Structure formats: C-alpha cells, structure tokens
Amino acid sequence: MLPLSSRFQATACRTPSSAVWRSFPRNALRDVSYYGWRAPVAKARPGHLVRTTQLDKTVGQDVPQPERSVETDVEPLDWTKAWYPVAIESDLNPMAPKPIEILGRDIVLWNEKGEWRCFEDVCPHRLAPLSEGRIEPSDGSLMCSYHGWRFDGGGNCVDIPQVKAKTHEEGSPCKNSRSKVTTFPTKVVDGMVWVWPDASPSAYIDSSMSEPFRTDVDFEASTTLYPLYMREVPYSFDIVMENSMDPSHVAYAHHGIQGNRDTAGWMEAKVEKVPEDSKAAMRIGMKSLMLPTALKQAPEEGDEEIVQTTEMEFIEPGTTLYSDMKNGKVFMHLMINMTPTSPGKSKLFFRGVIMQSLPWFVKLQMKIARPKWLVHLENNAVSDGDIVLLRPQGQTLRKAAQQGETWNSKYFIPSTADLMIAKFRSWFHGKRGGGGPKLPNGDLLCSSVEPLLNKEEMLDRYHSHTKHCKACSGAMRNFGILEKCASVVAAGLGVSMLMIVQGLSKSGGAGAGPIGKVVCVGLGALVALFVSIKSKQMKQKFVYTGYDHWAT
C-alpha cells in the first residue's frame, strides 16, 4: 500500500516526449506498462549492507539485469535480532497493558513510570496473560490479575501475596529464577515503540549496538502530509513488503482514492549503488510518466508529459523508503515499516511528509481540512483496496509453494516497474533472508496457507485499526453521540410539528404565521434526521466498509 496523494501530481517537472524517450534504452521501454506514479521518500541510513542480490530470470529479456554476484560472503539474517515497530506511542494508554503479537510470539507492552517495557505475555505462576493485568499505583509494577503476583520493569517478581516471605528475605520464592518474566528490549523512536524480539541472554547487549531505523527528517520543520498510521493487515510479511515496493499498482488498485488509472504512463527502474554509509540493503532509481491530471485520457502525439523521478530503498528487515525528487532535491518523503506478527498477519506503519516548512496559516488550514481521523479513513480505504487483492494472492502463492513451485515460476514480470520486487524476492528466499522469519517452533512464518476469510472479516477496520487509534476511536465515539443527539432532536421537532398542525386544525387558523412555523419546525426535523443518518454512516466507516474494485 502506497498512499500517494494525487493532488501533488502537478508538481512534477515537465519534459517533452522526445526527451523522455531519449532518457532510456528503447528496448527497455518496449514492454513497460503505461503507469504514472508519484511517491514521497527519504534517504537511507547506516546498517546491514546486502546489495548483491541476483535478479530472477522471470524479468523479461528486454529489462536491464543487475550484475550477478555470489552470496557466499553474506551472513543469514537473524530475524529476532532486529528492531520492529509494534505501536504508535501516542495511541497507547500508559495505565493499560497492551497485548501485541510479533514473530508468532505473544508479548505485552506496559509503562513503568514513563518507560515502556515489554514482557512475554505469560505469568510464570500459572500462565495467565499479563496483558489482562494492571499497573500497581504504589510502585508502578505490573500486577497479574489472576493471583496478584507483581513484576518490575526488569521482569523480576517483587511480590507474591500467597507467601509470608517478603521479596528481600532469604528463601523468598521471588528469588527463584523461575519467578522471573521473559523481557525484551524496547525503544521509542520517531513516535513509535520498537521491540527487539530476542529472548537470548545477549539480547540487551546486542540491541544496544543497533538502533531502530530513523531518517534525518526534521519533522518539526517539515509539513505532515500523512500522520503516523498503523493497521493490522490479514496477509503475510513477504506479501506486505512486496506490495510496499510496488508503486505501479497505485493508479489501478487505488483509483479514485489516491491514484488515477486514466493518467497512468510508463515506469522505468534501474538498480543504483548503495552508499557505504547507508543502511539500505538495496536501492532502485525510478522514472515514471503521467499525463496532467486534467487530461484524464490516453496520451496523444504532442501532449506534454510529466516525468517523476523517485528513489526507493529497502532497509532490513522491514522498511521501504521513497524519496520524491524535485530539482535534484527530496520534495516528499514516505516511510513504510512492516512488522511480521503471525502466519497470514502483519502490522503496517507509515507516514508521509513534505520536506519543507509551509506558512503557519497553510498548516492550520491543512489541519482543519484534514484532521487525523479523516486522513486515516482515506488510509483505510487504500488498505481495503490492497487487502481484497493481496489476501487471495498470498493464498495462491502458498498453495503453489506446497506443490513445489517457486515465486519466480509463477510470477511473470517483464517490466522494470517490478525490479524492486524481483530483487526483494531473491533476497528474501536467498541466503540472507532464508525464507523469512521463523516461529518459536522453528517453522517459517510465511509458509502456511492462510484460512479463507470473507470480506467482512478481511476488511474489519475496527479491530485492525480503529480500536488502536485514539483519533479514530474518538471520532467514532463522537459521531455516535451526534447520531443519538440528532435523532432525539429530530423526534422532538417531529412531535412539535404534529402538535402545531393538530392545534391549527382545532382552531381552524391557517395564517402565514402558523404555516411558517410548521415549515420551520419541519425543516429542522429533516435537518436533524439528515445529520443523524450521516453520523451513523460516518460511524460505520470506522467499523467496516465494503470494497469492490469494479465499482471504482
């Protein structure tokens, strides 16, 4: 999913058709599908360097191939020894433990005196979920609600109510190593809580030598186009990663929301060298054509073309960055983070900014016109358009794998628009990626066939986003209140109108004044009824909205 606003399409530089065709090899353009795209993005930072992935043979003969290289010197990625975002900090309640899933493991986030802690979501006593516990006000410890056992931020048991021996006394069961909870390192970076899902003895040392990926974007000096958004999506990690690297689907899968298939043109991509100080595993440079939005028709001879230049980067284990270039500088930036949660499920985060500060009154206007919950509704619609396509795609790919077929024997990708996808798949299934993260039992997380879901289950917005988001849950609650209030007002005005009409019929009066009063009260009742109906419809948007691509 790439939420790219079409309103910024006209900002791209304009280049005559002849110049565009001179920019690329003719044979490379021959098979490229018509598609136009705009993408925000940023530059990569320090980390693992794996830029030796071979492009698969399924990319057509007319597509430029990256240099072949051997992966003998590449170390397999330990998926547990990495930072993953698990929640948006501003959406968390510091007084309520938060259950989270990551790499097939149940964990719980909780706040100890201003610091976020992460435990395995199991009490060592009799395995009750600690996420159903509470924060003890007296000392800030996490209490299990089953028997009242309490734990500090280091996972140490500090109280067992059922025994006389105090924590500090010799022979106290709290001193037994079996009373300790498994803990995981946490950090807060760029508004997100990150977890290092490694339970080994060296986890805290290893995690201290690495940092969650962050850009050098000054968010205060930039203008937020898309505020931080999170959604739990019903498809596996490799599918959501692949989709995040696919800008050419936006005009079609998200037509009328954040794309326009009528203005789509060709797209070209080539492998670029990754700087030595970069954290990127791979980088792709892209150029794409789109017609001016006003045309909304196929290109004709003599039309002026808009060419957009974009850089796309992949940072291990699950970040995709886009840098939308204008006059050689980054104009817009989009960062997408993916977290593998369980088989057939992933968690997606993204934000987008304009890399310049706008006047305060423009920012205020954008904030009023585009409140966070409204932008998130747009994001939800984009996610819905992906979900109905990607869930079945993942099921088909898994079934093929169970029959011994590989992704490259099933995918036909003749265009360089899919170059990053081919490189990612080669990396993911190669020595470095190893087929993806593993579950605690050793099985590959991305190997199982997901169960069938109907659309209501796939597109459930409430459990995948709304209940986790303060802005959207608050807006849903407010629309519910408005619906009820408007219904009461409509009913009251309706009764008043009937009483006025009844009074007029008894008195036999029919002057302009009484009739005007009836009309005013009746119109008021209709307006209140309209507000009630619209409020109910808006409230429903935070729960479930059907999505049919044929209707877009």
Side-chain angles (χ1 to χ4, degrees):
M1 178 181 64
L2 293 177
L4 309 175
S5 177
S6 60
R7 70 193 62 159
F8 290 96
Q9 290 178 352
T11 63
C13 58
R14 296 175 179 271
T15 308
S17 301
S18 58
V20 174
W21 282 89
R22 286 197 301 270
S23 302
F24 303 99
R26 296 280 178 132
N27 64 339
L29 292 175
R30 191 167 63 205
D31 292 327
V32 178
S33 303
Y34 276 96
Y35 178 82
W37 174 57
R38 295 199 42 77
V41 206
K43 299 195 180 280
R45 307 289 157 261
H48 298 298
L49 297 177
V50 186
R51 30 188 137 112
T52 57
T53 311
Q54 177 180 324
L55 186 65
D56 191 83
K57 64 182 181 181
T58 54
V59 178
Q61 296 298 315
D62 293 331
V63 176
Q65 305 288 312
E67 295 182 4
R68 292 177 177 269
S69 59
V70 182
E71 286 190 321
T72 55
D73 59 338
V74 176
E75 294 184 5
L77 176 65
D78 187 338
W79 289 84
T80 65
K81 296 183 181 296
W83 289 104
Y84 298 90
V86 295
I88 297 174
E89 186 185 24
S90 60
D91 288 332
L92 294 173
N93 181 354
M95 296 305 297
K98 178 75 171 179
I100 303 284
E101 197 172 16
I102 183 170
L103 299 182
R105 186 192 290 266
D106 293 320
I107 61 176
V108 56
L109 282 181
W110 64 286
N111 194 283
E112 182 190 38
K113 300 176 182 179
E115 296 292 330
W116 289 102
R117 309 299 186 188
C118 182
F119 288 176
E120 185 173 21
D121 195 13
V122 176
C123 178
H125 177 210
R126 284 168 53 192
L127 312 185
L130 291 172
S131 57
E132 289 296 329
R134 63 188 295 274
I135 310 300
E136 174 57 38
S138 63
D139 60 359
S141 60
L142 177 61
M143 176 188 288
C144 177
S145 294
Y146 198 11
H147 293 92
W149 288 33
R150 292 189 289 115
F151 306 89
D152 64 18
N156 302 300
C157 181
V158 296
D159 185 39
I160 300 178
Q162 291 78 25
V163 298
K164 289 183 178 181
K166 301 302 180 183
T167 306
H168 64 278
E169 295 178 356
E170 194 66 34
S172 169
C174 287
K175 292 184 177 296
N176 191 311
S177 61
R178 293 186 62 187
S179 71
K180 189 170 182 177
V181 179
T182 300
T183 67
F184 303 95
T186 60
K187 282 191 177 181
V188 178
V189 173
D190 290 339
M192 295 178 285
V193 180
W194 301 66
V195 169
W196 182 277
D198 176 26
S200 69
S202 64
Y204 283 85
I205 296 176
D206 295 338
S207 64
S208 67
M209 300 173 64
S210 177
E211 288 289 327
F213 176 78
R214 65 188 312 168
T215 71
D216 57 2
V217 174
D218 184 347
F219 290 105
E220 294 297 324
S222 304
T223 301
T224 299
L225 178 61
Y226 295 103
L228 261 176
Y229 167 84
M230 184 282 295
R231 185 162 182 179
E232 297 171 346
V233 291
Y235 40 88
S236 64
F237 175 74
D238 60 323
I239 298 295
V240 70
M241 281 300 307
E242 181 182 293
N243 186 58
S244 76
M245 300 173 176
D246 178 20
S248 65
H249 82 282
V250 177
Y252 302 96
H254 309 312
H255 175 74
I257 304 172
Q258 289 176 340
N260 190 329
R261 55 177 171 255
D262 298 321
T263 64
W266 53 257
M267 181 174 288
E268 269 288 303
K270 65 177 182 178
V271 179
E272 292 187 348
K273 183 179 179 181
V274 180
E276 290 297 329
D277 63 346
S278 172
K279 197 173 184 177
M282 57 190 76
R283 173 186 285 185
I284 295 291
M286 307 192 76
K287 288 189 177 182
S288 56
L289 164 73
M290 68 177 67
L291 295 168
T293 306
L295 293 180
K296 293 189 177 180
Q297 59 186 19
E300 297 178 2
E301 188 174 354
D303 281 341
E304 191 174 29
E305 297 171 345
I306 299 177
V307 176
Q308 178 62 45
T309 302
T310 302
E311 288 181 357
M312 175 171 32
E313 296 172 315
F314 165 60
I315 294 88
E316 298 176 357
T319 298
T320 302
L321 287 173
Y322 287 89
S323 295
D324 193 10
M325 312 301 291
K326 182 181 181 182
N327 299 326
K329 297 181 179 180
V330 178
F331 173 65
M332 283 194 291
H333 159 87
L334 181 69
M335 182 167 72
I336 312 170
N337 300 99
M338 278 66 64
T339 298
T341 56
S342 61
K345 294 181 182 179
S346 306
K347 189 171 286 189
L348 178 149
F349 299 81
F350 72 80
R351 79 188 328 157
V353 296
I354 301 173
M355 301 293 289
Q356 65 185 51
S357 182
L358 299 179
W360 67 269
F361 55 87
V362 176
K363 288 185 177 181
L364 179 62
Q365 184 181 16
M366 289 180 64
K367 191 171 183 179
I368 295 174
R370 303 179 77 235
K372 189 175 181 178
W373 61 265
L374 186 59
V375 179
H376 282 186
L377 283 181
E378 179 183 329
N379 298 151
N380 281 335
V382 171
S383 295
D384 290 347
D386 284 329
I387 289 171
V388 297
L389 298 171
L390 300 183
R391 176 79 181 192
Q393 176 198 354
Q395 291 172 322
T396 302
L397 192 61
R398 300 290 177 261
K399 290 176 182 177
Q402 289 184 346
Q403 296 172 2
E405 298 183 85
T406 60
W407 71 272
N408 49 337
S409 68
K410 300 299 292 182
Y411 285 9
F412 174 60
I413 45 178
S415 164
T416 57
D418 294 318
L419 179 59
M420 192 65 150
I421 293 170
K423 284 182 64 62
F424 169 75
R425 279 292 174 186
S426 295
W427 172 91
F428 186 80
H429 296 285
K431 183 177 179 180
R432 179 64 176 169
K438 293 182 178 180
L439 296 168
N441 65 4
D443 293 342
L444 288 174
L445 183 144
C446 299
S447 63
S448 60
V449 178
E450 298 89 355
L452 293 175
L453 298 176
N454 58 41
K455 277 195 174 181
E456 286 74 15
E457 293 171 317
M458 285 194 294
L459 304 181
D460 177 0
R461 293 181 175 183
Y462 180 78
H463 291 95
S464 65
H465 171 75
T466 302
K467 76 173 186 178
H468 305 293
C469 175
K470 285 185 177 179
C472 291
S473 57
M476 178 181 170
R477 180 176 59 254
N478 292 337
F479 277 116
I481 294 172
L482 183 58
E483 176 198 356
K484 292 179 181 178
C485 292
S487 297
V488 171
V489 171
L493 290 176
V495 171
S496 297
M497 184 182 69
L498 291 176
M499 292 176 65
I500 294 172
V501 171
Q502 188 177 22
L504 288 176
S505 63
K506 288 182 178 179
S507 63
I515 292 177
K517 186 182 293 185
V518 171
V519 171
C520 288
V521 173
L523 287 176
L526 289 176
V527 170
L529 181 62
F530 176 80
V531 171
S532 176
I533 293 173
K534 285 298 180 182
S535 296
K536 183 177 181 179
Q537 292 175 347
M538 287 300 298
K539 187 176 69 172
Q540 180 62 29
K541 288 180 182 291
F542 296 99
V543 179
Y544 166 79
T545 299
Y547 198 101
D548 293 299
H549 279 282
W550 62 264
T552 63

